[in-house]
Amino acid sequence: MSKQNGLLIVILTIGVFGILTTEMGVIGILPSIAEHFDISVAKAGLLVSLFALTVAISAPIMPILFSGINRKKIMLLVLGIFVIGNIVSIFASNFTVLLIARVIPAVFHPIFCSLALTVAATSVSKEEAPKAVSKVIMGVTAGMILGVPITNYIASETSIEMAMLFFAVVNAIAFMATLLFIPSLPVKERLSYGTQISVLKKPIVWLAIATVVFIGSATSSINSFIAEYLGTVTNISGGTLTLALFLLGIASLFGNIAGGRLLTKNAMKTATLFPIILGMVLLLSFLTGKSTGPMLMTIMLWGILFAIGNNVGQYWITSSAPEAPDFANGLYLSCGNLGITIGTAVGGLFISGMGAQYVVLGGIGFLILTLISILLRGFIYNPTTKQIAN
């Protein structure tokens, strides 16, 4: 990878980190926002749920609509909208203004993330594409997992306005880096809307969509309730809980790197082994769950495998529709958000029905479905998967 391509991918990673931190970081300050605007925490939760719902709806549509425009210009547009939205959030006089200031950027969220994944993949050789993409996904993971404690720390030490300023600053840095260091990225071959949407006629695409939803459901059914699990089952709180979540985040970053390398080496084998190994690790939690030290080790394995799952899902769906990469990445983002919604709901049912310790059973159930869908693709599309694996 050349230095120019390396710099490009670093800037893309910073960009998706800023956007995902804006989306997920607010989770850590919902109680403070509720108190600030004198509303319930449930209502404050709309800042997260409406954002995610907007992303899920716009993800298959917006990347297609902007697919023919110079990619540098689009990235600057999206980052600029996020900077403005975050600045408005700092000075929001009421909750409605804050909500609007988040929902509008959410509409454009999938454009940048889809574009970042596509540009990363096309900036290197086909063989090196999974590695490049894994680095961008690292920004997604960091934004989702590390953005929460960072935002919480800033808000607790200063104010929620300063936390919002943090969002604005990260996006502004990405905007300036894009403006100064990323060359013009014109679209050489513009695909018609019909050509891109027509990939939905391919059964292999729908099989990939199912796989991505199952992976997202498997990981989020546990990820969404990790704090509850650690507090109730492992009986840790305070600084130890913060340490556990931090270890999860760091392990996820390593998992992204590992996922890219494994997919580059052998995609089919990596995809097949992923649900099997994660399922075994989830079962391991029944043995380690009540002991702090062993559970911290298990948490790190969770983080590594959760991140590999993100890489597998993105690669699985884009490799099923290589002729329409922007649309395929949009589908990945949409299906991933759908998986989060389903997994969180199922995880909540297991906790309320059986207790926090058994939340991993929901994840195992989705992993079985993941494995079936992956093996089914390998069985039906054997020549395709052989080509992907090699």
Side-chain angles (χ1 to χ4, degrees):
M1 184 184 298
S2 67
K3 288 185 178 180
Q4 185 177 5
N5 286 344
L7 179 60
L8 171 66
I9 290 172
V10 168
I11 294 172
L12 293 173
T13 304
I14 294 171
V16 294
F17 171 74
I19 287 174
L20 266 295
T21 299
T22 298
E23 176 183 4
M24 304 301 293
V26 75
I27 290 174
I29 58 174
L30 287 180
S32 301
I33 289 174
E35 182 180 354
H36 181 79
F37 290 105
D38 194 23
I39 57 174
S40 66
V41 175
K43 186 174 181 179
L46 288 172
L47 295 173
V48 178
S49 58
L50 268 185
F51 196 110
L53 179 61
T54 303
V55 171
I57 294 171
S58 66
I61 303 167
M62 295 299 281
I64 291 181
L65 293 180
F66 287 80
S67 60
I69 304 173
N70 187 297
R71 287 167 171 172
K72 178 177 179 176
K73 292 180 180 178
I74 298 174
M75 288 191 283
L76 289 172
L77 171 67
V78 176
L79 290 169
I81 290 171
F82 267 79
V83 171
I84 293 170
N86 286 319
I87 291 174
V88 172
S89 298
I90 296 170
F91 301 101
S93 56
N94 57 65
F95 182 71
T96 302
V97 172
L98 179 61
L99 196 58
I100 293 171
R102 282 181 58 80
V103 169
I104 291 176
V107 175
F108 296 86
H109 171 297
I111 302 173
F112 188 94
C113 291
S114 172
L115 212 57
L117 295 169
T118 301
V119 170
T122 56
S123 67
V124 296
S125 65
K126 186 176 180 180
E127 293 73 24
E128 293 294 311
K131 287 184 183 179
V133 168
S134 71
K135 292 175 182 177
V136 175
I137 294 179
M138 186 186 296
V140 175
T141 304
M144 292 181 69
I145 297 179
L146 296 179
V148 176
I150 291 172
T151 305
N152 178 267
Y153 176 78
I154 293 172
S156 62
E157 293 297 316
T158 55
S159 64
I160 59 172
E161 288 84 3
M162 291 303 292
M164 299 290 182
L165 178 62
F166 167 68
F167 299 156
V169 168
V170 175
N171 283 285
I173 290 171
F175 180 92
M176 292 304 299
T178 301
L179 179 65
L180 296 175
F181 300 112
I182 289 186
S184 178
L185 297 170
V187 178
K188 296 176 182 178
E189 294 182 12
R190 180 174 181 177
L191 297 174
S192 68
Y193 300 152
T195 300
Q196 296 184 74
I197 296 173
S198 67
V199 301
L200 292 175
K201 295 178 181 178
K202 298 164 61 177
I204 191 173
V205 172
W206 287 100
L207 201 52
I209 286 172
T211 303
V212 173
V213 172
F214 293 150
I215 290 174
S217 299
T219 54
S220 65
S221 64
I222 300 157
N223 218 353
S224 300
F225 302 101
I226 278 185
E228 173 71 15
Y229 183 95
L230 293 173
T232 306
V233 179
T234 316
N235 198 29
I236 61 176
S237 59
T240 308
L241 179 58
T242 301
L243 172 64
L245 296 176
F246 179 74
L247 289 175
L248 174 73
I250 295 299
S252 297
L253 299 183
F254 283 105
N256 278 311
I257 297 172
R261 290 179 177 175
L262 290 170
L263 284 167
T264 300
K265 189 174 182 180
N266 192 317
M268 188 63 195
K269 185 176 180 181
T270 300
T272 304
L273 289 177
F274 157 70
I276 297 172
I277 296 174
L278 179 55
M280 293 170 62
V281 172
L282 294 183
L283 288 174
L284 179 65
S285 67
F286 280 106
L287 299 175
T288 62
K290 295 184 179 181
S291 304
T292 301
M295 190 58 207
L296 289 178
M297 297 297 294
T298 303
I299 275 285
M300 294 183 72
L301 292 174
W302 280 4
I304 291 170
L305 288 160
F306 286 174
I308 291 175
N310 287 334
N311 282 271
V312 169
Q314 189 277 338
Y315 186 79
W316 214 237
I317 202 163
T318 52
S319 63
S320 71
E323 66 272 36
D326 289 336
F327 183 55
N329 279 314
L331 285 175
Y332 164 68
L333 295 168
S334 182
C335 295
N337 276 274
L338 179 60
I340 290 172
T341 304
I342 295 171
T344 302
V346 171
L349 289 174
F350 270 94
I351 287 178
S352 60
M354 301 177 67
Q357 183 178 5
Y358 297 96
V359 72
V360 296
L361 294 180
I364 291 171
F366 284 119
L367 287 172
I368 292 171
L369 293 174
T370 300
L371 180 60
I372 292 171
S373 66
I374 288 172
L375 292 176
L376 195 58
R377 170 167 163 171
F379 177 75
I380 298 174
Y381 301 97
N382 194 43
T384 303
T385 48
K386 278 185 179 179
Q387 183 181 2
I388 291 169
N390 295 326

